[in-house]
Amino acid sequence: VIYMVMCAEKCSNSRFGEVQLLLCVLLFGFSFCLMKAVAVETGPLNSLGPLTFNAIRYIVSTAMLLVYMLVLKPEVFNSVSSKSILPTANSAHSDLYYAWYWGIISGVTTMLASAFQQYGIIHSSVAKTAFITALYVVFVPIVESQLPGGRMVMSTWTAACVSMIGTYFVSGLSEAASGDFDSADLWSEASLFVGMLFWTGCIIAMDRGCKRCDCLLLTLIEFGSCSVLSLGAAALLEPQFLIFPFVHIRNNLGTIVLLAFLELVAFVLCALGQAAVESSRAALLLSFESVAGAVSGYLFLHEVLTPTEV
């Protein structure tokens, strides 16, 4: 995976891009298992709040991406060092201005999306989490079609309707009619759905930003702002996990570092793959995230879908 990331810019083959997207989906699917593992940890020294967990994981991701850019992509910083963040009277907004503008918007939506997702996964399976989260594949074109200049074909509306029906069954709402349903599950799936809507906003913001500035710089600002916001929210709502010597964080640090690395590689693979593959094929490949999550949950957490969910 690291080799493919390093060599990606030297190869524009669409098949290579499709392989990158599939690797990205597999990494995202496995990352749900790591999030679930931390979410269900119990005990006075092992449990870690969702906001604190997100803050540490994005801090680690930001540090990794910063090191990667300083060592292998120093030209990104050199190209923006002489640019002003503010527009001048005789020029349009600079690339750095758009990187900060769209990066902060993406960071806010990523922070909210991750928070709702981590709260939701506590009482939900990895398969349900992956399926509901993957609905952004349909919701992104729906939202973009409502923006100025946007349009959506009938096939996308059809996919949206079918996806909503699928969400109804996989979320367990169909069992609610027979009484075989836990209200905690309903709130969990609702939280995941809200998180998916914020992921939709994040993807649209990143798409707008990548068209006007460097994608790596934009991602760095996104991760950095998400880290700051998550850490601030954790300090207000989960201060018990931020007390020295940070026992709860240290006990989960291995999982957090692994998750941060996998997600960072997945984000880079996703950006590079989408650049080489047409959007319709990329959307189909990314929708495989729900299957990857279900298989990962079965293999690593021994989760089993009910016949209705299947």
Side-chain angles (χ1 to χ4, degrees):
V1 172
I2 297 174
Y3 172 78
M4 298 186 75
V5 172
M6 301 284 286
C7 299
E9 292 183 344
K10 301 178 182 179
C11 181
S12 59
N13 186 281
S14 62
R15 293 298 181 190
F16 188 80
E18 291 174 356
V19 173
Q20 289 176 319
L21 288 174
L22 283 175
L23 283 173
C24 157
V25 165
L26 292 175
L27 291 176
F28 275 134
F30 178 64
S31 68
F32 287 123
C33 292
L34 298 176
M35 287 186 282
K36 177 71 172 180
V38 174
V40 300
E41 280 283 4
T42 58
L45 300 179
N46 292 325
S47 61
L48 187 63
L51 295 174
T52 307
F53 169 69
N54 287 334
I56 303 303
R57 96 193 223 207
Y58 282 111
I59 288 174
V60 175
S61 293
T62 303
M64 290 180 176
L65 181 57
L66 181 61
V67 171
Y68 170 79
M69 293 175 65
L70 288 174
V71 175
L72 299 175
K73 295 289 183 181
E75 63 272 13
V76 175
F77 296 105
N78 296 334
S79 65
V80 301
S81 60
S82 59
K83 297 180 180 179
S84 172
I85 189 175
L86 298 175
T88 62
N90 300 320
S91 67
H93 294 286
S94 67
D95 294 345
L96 186 57
Y97 173 88
Y98 284 114
W100 279 104
Y101 179 81
W102 291 111
I104 291 177
I105 292 178
S106 301
V108 172
T109 52
T110 299
M111 178 266 177
L112 293 171
S114 299
F116 279 103
Q117 184 182 68
Q118 193 62 20
Y119 276 113
I121 202 174
I122 295 175
H123 297 289
S124 182
S125 67
V126 171
K128 291 181 181 180
T129 302
F131 186 91
I132 295 174
T133 302
L135 286 177
Y136 68 77
V137 175
V138 176
F139 274 77
V140 166
I142 290 178
V143 174
E144 287 189 324
S145 69
Q146 305 305 312
L147 299 176
R151 60 181 295 272
M152 190 169 69
V153 297
M154 181 58 64
S155 60
T156 306
W157 285 114
T158 304
C161 294
V162 174
S163 296
M164 293 305 297
I165 295 172
T167 304
Y168 172 79
F169 285 108
V170 82
S171 65
L173 289 174
S174 58
E175 280 96 354
S178 61
D180 186 19
F181 189 74
D182 188 352
S183 60
D185 294 336
L186 178 60
W187 287 110
S188 177
E189 266 86 58
S191 179
L192 292 172
F193 190 84
V194 173
M196 181 275 298
L197 295 179
F198 281 113
W199 281 126
T200 299
C202 173
I203 292 170
I204 294 175
M206 288 293 289
D207 180 69
R208 296 290 191 274
C210 282
K211 289 180 171 62
R212 296 180 176 272
C213 59
D214 184 85
C215 289
L216 282 178
L217 181 61
L218 180 66
T219 304
L220 180 65
I221 296 174
E222 175 199 5
F223 281 4
S225 57
C226 178
S227 301
V228 172
L229 292 172
S230 297
L231 188 61
L236 290 174
L237 302 176
E238 300 171 353
Q240 68 273 22
F241 299 115
L242 297 175
I243 300 175
F244 185 82
F246 312 112
V247 177
H248 300 83
I249 296 176
R250 282 164 35 206
N251 288 346
N252 292 279
L253 191 58
T255 303
I256 293 174
V257 171
L258 177 59
L259 175 62
F261 174 74
L262 293 180
E263 285 192 324
L264 178 59
V265 175
F267 269 108
V268 175
L269 283 171
C270 185
L272 295 173
Q274 284 183 293
V277 181
E278 61 179 359
S279 59
S280 59
R281 294 180 67 84
L284 288 173
L285 291 169
L286 289 174
S287 66
F288 191 69
E289 179 181 344
S290 58
V291 181
V295 173
S296 297
Y298 173 78
L299 292 176
F300 300 105
L301 299 179
H302 308 293
E303 294 181 349
V304 179
L305 294 174
T306 67
T308 303
E309 292 167 349
V310 172

